[in-house]
Each structure stands twice: as C-alpha cells, then as structure tokens.
Amino acid sequence: MLLRRITHHVKDQNWFAVGLDYFIVVIGVFIGLQVSNWNDARQERNNEAEYIQRLDTEMDVIRARLVAGEQTYSQSLRSIDLLMDVRRQYDKDVTAEIPSEAELSIAASNAGAGMVPAGSPAALKEMMSSGAMVTLSNDELRQALFAYDEFAAINLNAWQTLRMSQSDALNRVLSFGDLSMPDDLNDLRSAIGDGANLRGFDVQDFLDDPEIPGYLRVLLGAQANQLGLVQQQLALAESIEELIDKDSN
C-alpha cells in the first residue's frame, strides 16, 4: 500500500509527499529496531537474573560441602597427629602412658577420611556450554566463575592422585583394626569415604611396627595437601557468593 502510494506520488512529481512517505518508512524501521533491541535487552536481563539466582542457590550447596570437607580433613590431621605423637612417646619410653584402644581406633578410622571435592554449579556448566556467559554484566563475577571452574577440575585430579599416593600407608594403618565393611582394603572408595569404621585396634602391634612412623608421615602430607586444596576452593566459592550478594543489593 505504501509502495503504491509512493509510486503514485513519484508519477505526480509530488516530491514533498515522496519525502514524507520516505520519512515515515525510516521512522517506522527505526522504531521497530529500537523495540526489538529493547525486548532483547530485557530478555537478557531476565536471563541474567535467572542464572544469578540459580548460581546463588547452587553455590550455597557447594560451599556447605566444601566446609564439610575442610572439617573432615582437619579432623583427619588431628587424628594423624595423635597417632604420630603416641609413636614418638612410645619410642622414647615404652612405659609412657598412651591413649586407650578406643581412642586409637577412632584416630586410625579418621586417618584417611576425606570427601570427593565439590564440582562446578550446574548453572555455570549450562552457561558455558550455551555461550550464555556473555549475559553476565559483572565482569568480575564472570572471571571469578571461570577461576572457580578451572580450580574445581584441578582439585578433583589432585584428589584422585593424592588418594592413590596414600593407599599403601592407609591400608597399613587400617590393618591394625577390623573394618566393619567388606574385606577389600584396596578398594579405597568403599573403605575410607568419610572415614573407615574400625572395630577395635591392635595397639601393641601398632606400637611395635617400625614402619608406621613413615606411613603416618605419608598420610599427614597427603591429607594436609587435600585440606589446602579444599580451603583454596572454598575461598573461591565464597568470593563468588560475595559478588552475587553485591549484585543482588
């Protein structure tokens, strides 16, 4: 209709009317583009708000898991310190007073306790795979998420390596007690989890074994490294939560 009218005005050489029609077309296109851009921007803001809400919820769960991991490894290190201290005292004086069998059984049970490291939030994985990271207007938050995701992968690989490096030492310590679980001590994933559950503890054999101090040092180093990694990942997670809170306010 508009094209027919413009053609008619051209034939009539009504240049004012032609210019007016052209102006109407340009303004219409401009308004249409602006409305489209406004809708796109509003959709992006809505998507960003939805992703941030999901990240906030999922990071709460991840932080709680990391805090639990930090507590587990800290308890493990205290237990290993106790076992090492008992051996040092006994090696100096065989008549030295030592903790009860029950206390040593609990300490040995906790010597290899640990947790599989927390991964990345599902919302972050979705954003990275779909290219939606660009919807985040906060560059600092985006970089913090990238840093966390990278470290989470590093921590998982380190956890697997450290678990295997301490397997012989842990099996040796656990061998002084009876596991209330299947016999296969080589299956660390089923044998240690958050800590083995020993029924009793052969105190004298533990005190007389000349290799135990070396095995305990291996366990101490592995658990200390895992604690350090969990604490670093926890710091990254808390940084993300602080940035999300800042954005929310």
Side-chain angles (χ1 to χ4, degrees), residues 87-109:
R87 275 307 303 258
R88 281 192 294 266
Q89 290 182 43
Y90 182 79
D91 290 343
K92 287 180 182 178
D93 180 5
V94 295
T95 65
E97 185 177 348
I98 60 173
S100 67
E101 177 186 337
E103 290 178 273
L104 292 176
S105 176
I106 292 172
S109 297

mmCIF file of all heavy atoms in Angstrom, residues 87-109:
data_model
loop_
_atom_site.group_PDB
_atom_site.id
_atom_site.type_symbol
_atom_site.label_atom_id
_atom_site.label_comp_id
_atom_site.label_asym_id
_atom_site.label_seq_id
_atom_site.Cartn_x
_atom_site.Cartn_y
_atom_site.Cartn_z
ATOM 1 N N ARG A 87 53.299 -42.650 68.886
ATOM 2 C CA ARG A 87 54.501 -43.392 68.485
ATOM 3 C C ARG A 87 55.774 -42.725 68.985
ATOM 4 O O ARG A 87 56.725 -43.382 69.411
ATOM 5 C CB ARG A 87 54.540 -43.554 66.957
ATOM 6 C CG ARG A 87 53.762 -44.747 66.440
ATOM 7 C CD ARG A 87 54.174 -46.056 67.128
ATOM 8 N NE ARG A 87 55.596 -46.323 66.984
ATOM 9 C CZ ARG A 87 56.113 -47.186 66.115
ATOM 10 N NH1 ARG A 87 55.301 -47.854 65.311
ATOM 11 N NH2 ARG A 87 57.398 -47.402 66.053
ATOM 12 N N ARG A 88 55.822 -41.386 68.923
ATOM 13 C CA ARG A 88 57.016 -40.684 69.408
ATOM 14 C C ARG A 88 57.221 -40.937 70.903
ATOM 15 O O ARG A 88 58.339 -41.199 71.366
ATOM 16 C CB ARG A 88 56.901 -39.181 69.138
ATOM 17 C CG ARG A 88 57.220 -38.768 67.708
ATOM 18 C CD ARG A 88 57.369 -37.262 67.572
ATOM 19 N NE ARG A 88 56.103 -36.569 67.829
ATOM 20 C CZ ARG A 88 55.241 -36.225 66.877
ATOM 21 N NH1 ARG A 88 55.510 -36.519 65.606
ATOM 22 N NH2 ARG A 88 54.131 -35.591 67.177
ATOM 23 N N GLN A 89 56.127 -40.855 71.652
ATOM 24 C CA GLN A 89 56.235 -41.079 73.098
ATOM 25 C C GLN A 89 56.668 -42.506 73.400
ATOM 26 O O GLN A 89 57.523 -42.742 74.261
ATOM 27 C CB GLN A 89 54.882 -40.801 73.776
ATOM 28 C CG GLN A 89 54.492 -39.328 73.796
ATOM 29 C CD GLN A 89 53.174 -39.121 74.532
ATOM 30 O OE1 GLN A 89 52.952 -39.705 75.585
ATOM 31 N NE2 GLN A 89 52.305 -38.303 73.966
ATOM 32 N N TYR A 90 56.076 -43.451 72.699
ATOM 33 C CA TYR A 90 56.404 -44.862 72.948
ATOM 34 C C TYR A 90 57.851 -45.166 72.563
ATOM 35 O O TYR A 90 58.537 -45.924 73.255
ATOM 36 C CB TYR A 90 55.447 -45.757 72.169
ATOM 37 C CG TYR A 90 55.690 -47.229 72.409
ATOM 38 C CD1 TYR A 90 55.216 -47.847 73.562
ATOM 39 C CD2 TYR A 90 56.395 -47.990 71.478
ATOM 40 C CE1 TYR A 90 55.438 -49.196 73.789
ATOM 41 C CE2 TYR A 90 56.622 -49.340 71.698
ATOM 42 C CZ TYR A 90 56.150 -49.951 72.854
ATOM 43 O OH TYR A 90 56.385 -51.287 73.077
ATOM 44 N N ASP A 91 58.314 -44.600 71.440
ATOM 45 C CA ASP A 91 59.693 -44.851 71.004
ATOM 46 C C ASP A 91 60.700 -44.293 72.007
ATOM 47 O O ASP A 91 61.807 -44.822 72.152
ATOM 48 C CB ASP A 91 59.921 -44.237 69.619
ATOM 49 C CG ASP A 91 59.163 -44.995 68.533
ATOM 50 O OD1 ASP A 91 58.755 -46.145 68.795
ATOM 51 O OD2 ASP A 91 58.958 -44.425 67.442
ATOM 52 N N LYS A 92 60.310 -43.202 72.686
ATOM 53 C CA LYS A 92 61.198 -42.635 73.706
ATOM 54 C C LYS A 92 61.129 -43.410 75.014
ATOM 55 O O LYS A 92 62.130 -43.573 75.724
ATOM 56 C CB LYS A 92 60.835 -41.167 73.970
ATOM 57 C CG LYS A 92 61.222 -40.223 72.857
ATOM 58 C CD LYS A 92 60.817 -38.792 73.228
ATOM 59 C CE LYS A 92 61.148 -37.821 72.102
ATOM 60 N NZ LYS A 92 60.720 -36.450 72.429
ATOM 61 N N ASP A 93 59.926 -43.883 75.351
ATOM 62 C CA ASP A 93 59.733 -44.547 76.639
ATOM 63 C C ASP A 93 58.588 -45.543 76.504
ATOM 64 O O ASP A 93 57.429 -45.156 76.395
ATOM 65 C CB ASP A 93 59.405 -43.503 77.717
ATOM 66 C CG ASP A 93 59.185 -44.121 79.093
ATOM 67 O OD1 ASP A 93 59.375 -45.346 79.232
ATOM 68 O OD2 ASP A 93 58.794 -43.370 80.001
ATOM 69 N N VAL A 94 58.906 -46.832 76.520
ATOM 70 C CA VAL A 94 57.894 -47.873 76.320
ATOM 71 C C VAL A 94 56.888 -47.920 77.474
ATOM 72 O O VAL A 94 55.832 -48.556 77.359
ATOM 73 C CB VAL A 94 58.553 -49.259 76.150
ATOM 74 C CG1 VAL A 94 59.376 -49.300 74.878
ATOM 75 C CG2 VAL A 94 59.387 -49.621 77.358
ATOM 76 N N THR A 95 57.217 -47.248 78.570
ATOM 77 C CA THR A 95 56.291 -47.232 79.711
ATOM 78 C C THR A 95 55.408 -45.981 79.704
ATOM 79 O O THR A 95 54.629 -45.773 80.634
ATOM 80 C CB THR A 95 57.070 -47.294 81.037
ATOM 81 O OG1 THR A 95 57.860 -46.102 81.181
ATOM 82 C CG2 THR A 95 57.965 -48.519 81.089
ATOM 83 N N ALA A 96 55.547 -45.142 78.686
ATOM 84 C CA ALA A 96 54.766 -43.899 78.628
ATOM 85 C C ALA A 96 53.271 -44.204 78.556
ATOM 86 O O ALA A 96 52.849 -45.212 77.963
ATOM 87 C CB ALA A 96 55.184 -43.088 77.412
ATOM 88 N N GLU A 97 52.496 -43.344 79.165
ATOM 89 C CA GLU A 97 51.046 -43.523 79.147
ATOM 90 C C GLU A 97 50.510 -43.157 77.769
ATOM 91 O O GLU A 97 50.847 -42.113 77.216
ATOM 92 C CB GLU A 97 50.402 -42.628 80.208
ATOM 93 C CG GLU A 97 48.911 -42.842 80.340
ATOM 94 C CD GLU A 97 48.297 -42.002 81.442
ATOM 95 O OE1 GLU A 97 49.054 -41.423 82.251
ATOM 96 O OE2 GLU A 97 47.062 -41.912 81.484
ATOM 97 N N ILE A 98 49.701 -44.017 77.213
ATOM 98 C CA ILE A 98 49.165 -43.787 75.868
ATOM 99 C C ILE A 98 47.640 -43.816 75.923
ATOM 100 O O ILE A 98 47.044 -44.331 76.879
ATOM 101 C CB ILE A 98 49.671 -44.843 74.865
ATOM 102 C CG1 ILE A 98 49.230 -46.244 75.316
ATOM 103 C CG2 ILE A 98 51.176 -44.765 74.715
ATOM 104 C CD1 ILE A 98 49.532 -47.316 74.293
ATOM 105 N N PRO A 99 46.981 -43.256 74.899
ATOM 106 C CA PRO A 99 45.508 -43.258 74.878
ATOM 107 C C PRO A 99 44.950 -44.680 74.863
ATOM 108 O O PRO A 99 45.661 -45.646 74.569
ATOM 109 C CB PRO A 99 45.178 -42.515 73.581
ATOM 110 C CG PRO A 99 46.386 -41.695 73.287
ATOM 111 C CD PRO A 99 47.543 -42.493 73.772
ATOM 112 N N SER A 100 43.680 -44.783 75.113
ATOM 113 C CA SER A 100 43.022 -46.096 75.154
ATOM 114 C C SER A 100 42.900 -46.683 73.752
ATOM 115 O O SER A 100 43.051 -45.989 72.741
ATOM 116 C CB SER A 100 41.632 -45.954 75.764
ATOM 117 O OG SER A 100 40.798 -45.190 74.902
ATOM 118 N N GLU A 101 42.583 -47.960 73.722
ATOM 119 C CA GLU A 101 42.377 -48.643 72.450
ATOM 120 C C GLU A 101 41.245 -47.979 71.668
ATOM 121 O O GLU A 101 41.329 -47.830 70.444
ATOM 122 C CB GLU A 101 42.036 -50.119 72.704
ATOM 123 C CG GLU A 101 41.729 -50.895 71.419
ATOM 124 C CD GLU A 101 41.247 -52.305 71.698
ATOM 125 O OE1 GLU A 101 41.544 -52.854 72.782
ATOM 126 O OE2 GLU A 101 40.560 -52.859 70.807
ATOM 127 N N ALA A 102 40.189 -47.582 72.395
ATOM 128 C CA ALA A 102 39.054 -46.938 71.721
ATOM 129 C C ALA A 102 39.469 -45.627 71.060
ATOM 130 O O ALA A 102 39.080 -45.334 69.926
ATOM 131 C CB ALA A 102 37.932 -46.688 72.726
ATOM 132 N N GLU A 103 40.270 -44.826 71.746
ATOM 133 C CA GLU A 103 40.731 -43.545 71.186
ATOM 134 C C GLU A 103 41.609 -43.769 69.969
ATOM 135 O O GLU A 103 41.486 -43.064 68.951
ATOM 136 C CB GLU A 103 41.497 -42.756 72.252
ATOM 137 C CG GLU A 103 40.634 -42.212 73.377
ATOM 138 C CD GLU A 103 41.469 -41.488 74.415
ATOM 139 O OE1 GLU A 103 41.971 -42.159 75.350
ATOM 140 O OE2 GLU A 103 41.643 -40.262 74.278
ATOM 141 N N LEU A 104 42.504 -44.749 70.063
ATOM 142 C CA LEU A 104 43.387 -45.039 68.926
ATOM 143 C C LEU A 104 42.603 -45.621 67.758
ATOM 144 O O LEU A 104 42.924 -45.354 66.592
ATOM 145 C CB LEU A 104 44.496 -45.997 69.357
ATOM 146 C CG LEU A 104 45.514 -45.418 70.339
ATOM 147 C CD1 LEU A 104 46.519 -46.480 70.771
ATOM 148 C CD2 LEU A 104 46.241 -44.223 69.729
ATOM 149 N N SER A 105 41.566 -46.392 68.052
ATOM 150 C CA SER A 105 40.725 -46.948 66.999
ATOM 151 C C SER A 105 40.021 -45.830 66.233
ATOM 152 O O SER A 105 39.970 -45.836 64.989
ATOM 153 C CB SER A 105 39.685 -47.891 67.609
ATOM 154 O OG SER A 105 38.799 -48.368 66.615
ATOM 155 N N ILE A 106 39.504 -44.837 66.971
ATOM 156 C CA ILE A 106 38.832 -43.693 66.330
ATOM 157 C C ILE A 106 39.829 -42.885 65.504
ATOM 158 O O ILE A 106 39.544 -42.472 64.371
ATOM 159 C CB ILE A 106 38.168 -42.806 67.395
ATOM 160 C CG1 ILE A 106 37.003 -43.545 68.041
ATOM 161 C CG2 ILE A 106 37.684 -41.491 66.782
ATOM 162 C CD1 ILE A 106 36.414 -42.837 69.235
ATOM 163 N N ALA A 107 41.025 -42.661 66.063
ATOM 164 C CA ALA A 107 42.048 -41.892 65.344
ATOM 165 C C ALA A 107 42.453 -42.590 64.053
ATOM 166 O O ALA A 107 42.572 -41.957 62.993
ATOM 167 C CB ALA A 107 43.264 -41.685 66.240
ATOM 168 N N ALA A 108 42.646 -43.907 64.121
ATOM 169 C CA ALA A 108 43.023 -44.659 62.916
ATOM 170 C C ALA A 108 41.896 -44.638 61.891
ATOM 171 O O ALA A 108 42.132 -44.546 60.680
ATOM 172 C CB ALA A 108 43.372 -46.096 63.293
ATOM 173 N N SER A 109 40.651 -44.720 62.394
ATOM 174 C CA SER A 109 39.493 -44.673 61.487
ATOM 175 C C SER A 109 39.452 -43.367 60.704
ATOM 176 O O SER A 109 39.036 -43.330 59.547
ATOM 177 C CB SER A 109 38.193 -44.821 62.290
ATOM 178 O OG SER A 109 38.125 -46.073 62.938
#
